[in-house]
Amino acid sequence: KTTVAALKNTASQLDGQTITLSGWVRTVRDSKALGFIELNDGSCFSSIQIVFTEEKLENFKQIAKLSVGSAITVEGTLVLTPGARQPYEVQAECIAIEGDCPPDYPLQKKRHSFEFLRQMAPLRPRTNTFAAVFRVRSLCAYAIHKFFQERGFVYVHTPIITASDCEGAGEMFQVTTMDLNDIPKDGEGNVDYGQDFFGKQANLTVSGQLNVEPFALSMRSVYTFGPTFRAENSNTPRHAAEFWMIEPEIAFADLDDDMALAEDMVKYIINYVLEQAPDEIAFFNQFVDKGLLERLKNVAGSDFGRVSYTEAIELLQKSGRNFQYPVAWGCDLQTEHERYLSEEVFARPVFVTGYPKEIKAFYMRMNEDGKTVAAMDLLVPGIGELIGGSQREEREEVLVSRIEELGMRKEDYTWYINTRRYGGCKHAGYGLGFERMIMYLTGMSNIRDVLPYPRTVGTAEY
Ligand code: 4AD
Ligand code: MG
């Protein structure tokens, strides 16, 4: 048995030989004693043409009536067809029906909108676009592991169930062991989940960072790569309630080391995917985002911009733009601001550094000015924030005073604070939003279209 992907390299030597292929029918055409099937076997985008004749097939009539979507196995002769639209085809000796398909199959041969396909997550990988997205997603995950493993980083599996709120935003999904019928309700019938993970409060992790830092302070260069959860009620094309994050953490490193690592990683991923998925990227470039290929090539070959938050605010104020959210020093950057900076001012990815402490998490290292922290966000055209990171506050007294200032429960973070006492050192890290990276690589503009089963506000089907 072979695959359509494998044939790309081997077909030229297989002229006249018998091969076997299994896949799903994209189209069937027939006229009297001759028919054609366009077969896609999932191994790549290309479909292969199957020619079948009444002379060869006992079940000719049945095959001619096959519905789109049916699964079949074909045994036949591979024939090179120079000059034809496709370089080779298969002349069927026999075709077995593995599974037929009713005529109400939703993916009939025509173009469907991404919104329509979103309603059928289990079927959309049968389309060219989604098969390409999920192949790129798989390659991208592999590229990330390859990048870190080649540099000696250790992959640490941080917990999904945790008691801490890394980002301090209170956007956590609670975990409970209660019988659903026993969950207490308030007077208005709202559920009170209370604190119940075997008697303790627990939630799904929003970030693996706090758990991975101690590993950096033991094993130097480490990373997590896993699912994270945010109960933020933002119904946008870039936010999901469940998304994957890659979080490297490096010891004896400062913010500049952190940005250098992030820049190397993004370029490595792009180069790897351009090399390993040229057909997919060409497809996205043609059908989804016309400037994609050129943009990716430029990014891989140019230096990322660097600008301080304070300068960025000045640039935004001088822009003359009528932003929906007005800009002033101290405000958090909104997507419109992030996109203006990366698309119009820098026209490439840009790191913004030194954000006001008020809009960043407690663990970021305080700068000399006492107002800003050693934070960095990487903003990229088309997306906005792709990466968020920082140098960490390694000074125990400064860390504790930040925790107290923010009204967090210090007792909950004793284990974390202790990492600063027991040979703590300068260290830094960042989080890459995996889905945003896939959006960046494919030009897909909605996070729901790069997650196999998106969990966003209001959707948790399948
Ligand atoms: O900026 P964030 O919240 O940073 C952290 O969680 C840090 N603990 C990371 C670290 O320093 N180790 O999230 C990091 C990235 C964002 O830049 C964004 O790409 C992505 O995660 N992200 C989301 N992606 C999809 N849906 C959401 N709701 C996201 N929230 C953040
Ligand atoms: Mg962020």
Side-chain angles (χ1 to χ4, degrees):
K1 236 183 201 183
T2 185
T3 63
V4 177
L7 284 176
K8 282 190 180 167
N9 297 321
T10 56
S12 59
Q13 291 115 56
L14 291 176
D15 193 21
Q17 302 209 20
T18 302
I19 60 162
T20 307
L21 285 170
S22 294
W24 294 271
V25 172
R26 285 276 174 94
T27 60
V28 192
R29 293 181 285 133
D30 77 290
S31 61
K32 290 187 196 132
L34 175 71
F36 301 92
I37 293 174
E38 197 193 322
L39 187 75
N40 187 281
D41 76 346
S43 62
C44 61
F45 293 115
S46 313
S47 295
I48 191 162
Q49 170 152 288
I50 312 290
V51 185
F52 62 100
T53 59
E54 192 162 27
E55 187 195 337
K56 294 262 171 70
L57 301 194
E58 320 174 334
N59 57 351
F60 178 84
K61 288 221 167 58
Q62 218 187 343
I63 298 300
K65 272 193 284 182
L66 266 181
S67 300
V68 174
S70 303
I72 58 172
T73 293
V74 180
E75 203 185 295
T77 313
L78 185 107
V79 179
L80 299 184
T81 53
R85 197 168 58 90
Q86 61 285 331
Y88 42 85
E89 63 185 26
V90 177
Q91 292 175 358
E93 296 295 331
C94 73
I95 298 182
I97 302 174
E98 305 273 356
D100 57 12
C101 190
D104 63 355
Y105 181 61
L107 301 182
Q108 296 300 326
K109 178 95 185 172
K110 65 171 190 132
R111 258 184 121 162
H112 301 286
S113 72
F114 294 157
E115 289 79 7
F116 172 78
L117 293 168
R118 236 171 257 156
Q119 294 159 30
M120 45 196 77
L123 277 181
R124 62 183 183 166
R126 295 245 184 122
T127 66
N128 285 343
T129 308
F130 286 92
V133 165
F134 297 125
R135 256 196 307 277
V136 167
R137 190 177 163 109
S138 165
L139 279 172
C140 182
Y142 184 69
I144 288 166
H145 282 299
K146 198 163 170 325
F147 173 83
F148 286 116
Q149 298 282 336
E150 280 170 0
R151 284 157 186 74
F153 281 62
V154 173
Y155 178 25
V156 179
H157 299 96
T158 48
I160 303 290
I161 298 176
T162 163
S164 48
D165 176 10
C166 176
E167 295 307 299
E171 292 167 338
M172 297 155 330
F173 289 106
Q174 296 292 315
V175 172
T176 179
T177 51
M178 277 185 206
D179 183 318
L180 286 177
N181 299 313
D182 295 340
I183 292 177
K185 297 199 173 124
D186 68 12
E188 285 159 6
N190 296 317
V191 170
D192 173 13
Y193 290 94
Q195 304 192 344
D196 190 66
F197 172 71
F198 302 110
K200 293 232 161 67
Q201 183 272 332
N203 52 270
L204 298 180
T205 189
V206 297
S207 156
Q209 181 195 324
L210 300 188
N211 296 104
V212 92
E213 276 187 54
F215 280 77
L217 299 177
S218 314
M219 303 175 82
R220 262 190 111 96
S221 299
V222 298
Y223 68 107
T224 69
F225 187 166
T228 47
F229 307 85
R230 306 250 169 128
E232 60 191 328
N233 200 352
S234 25
N235 201 354
T236 82
R238 322 180 307 148
H239 289 92
E242 177 177 322
F243 64 98
W244 287 61
M245 192 155 47
I246 294 88
E247 297 182 272
E249 193 72 31
I250 42 180
F252 309 107
D254 62 15
L255 192 65
D256 285 329
D257 301 318
D258 205 29
M259 289 190 284
L261 181 69
E263 181 166 344
D264 284 352
M265 179 200 66
V266 170
K267 289 178 177 171
Y268 183 97
I269 297 171
I270 292 175
N271 283 325
Y272 188 82
V273 171
L274 285 176
E275 207 179 281
Q276 300 293 320
D279 295 349
E280 282 77 2
I281 300 301
F283 174 89
F284 291 121
N285 192 57
Q286 188 178 351
F287 295 110
V288 177
D289 177 354
K290 292 269 186 266
L292 179 72
L293 187 57
E294 200 191 319
R295 199 165 64 237
L296 290 177
K297 282 187 175 157
N298 286 343
V299 170
S302 68
D303 290 337
F304 292 3
R306 282 170 174 66
V307 67
S308 74
Y309 168 88
T310 303
E311 290 167 283
I313 292 294
E314 283 163 15
L315 288 166
L316 289 163
Q317 285 171 331
K318 279 196 298 204
S319 70
R321 287 295 172 97
N322 212 345
F323 292 115
Q324 193 190 341
Y325 295 90
V327 183
W329 200 95
C331 75
D332 205 355
L333 297 184
Q334 303 297 323
T335 304
E336 55 175 348
H337 309 138
E338 296 176 340
R339 292 189 58 171
Y340 174 79
L341 290 168
S342 59
E343 287 165 24
E344 319 234 348
V345 182
F346 288 87
R348 63 185 201 275
V350 56
F351 288 105
V352 178
T353 57
Y355 284 79
K357 65 174 184 183
E358 285 80 11
I359 54 171
K360 288 292 179 189
F362 75 96
Y363 52 70
M364 296 193 179
R365 193 177 197 280
M366 188 69 67
N367 287 329
E368 295 297 310
D369 61 15
K371 286 192 282 195
T372 61
V373 288
M376 61 91 159
D377 274 7
L378 178 65
L379 315 181
V380 300
I383 310 262
E385 180 188 340
L386 180 67
I387 286 176
S390 72
Q391 188 172 332
R392 316 309 189 191
E393 185 55 78
E394 82 282 15
R395 297 161 297 188
E396 186 190 347
E397 51 317 328
V398 186
L399 181 67
V400 169
S401 76
R402 275 301 279 155
I403 288 177
E404 285 168 347
E405 205 171 281
L406 288 165
M408 296 162 63
R409 282 161 33 118
K410 193 179 145 198
E411 320 79 85
D412 292 350
Y413 295 90
T414 308
W415 64 273
Y416 181 74
I417 296 164
N418 281 346
T419 60
R420 275 53 179 169
R421 306 177 64 200
Y422 305 146
C425 66
K426 180 167 82 171
H427 63 291
Y430 63 82
L432 165 71
F434 186 55
E435 283 70 24
R436 294 198 187 165
M437 188 70 218
I438 308 300
M439 292 166 74
Y440 193 50
L441 288 167
T442 58
M444 297 295 282
S445 54
N446 196 308
I447 198 164
R448 291 160 184 81
D449 297 332
V450 299
L451 278 153
Y453 294 95
R455 272 84 181 91
T456 52
V457 175
T459 43
E461 281 153 284
Y462 315 107

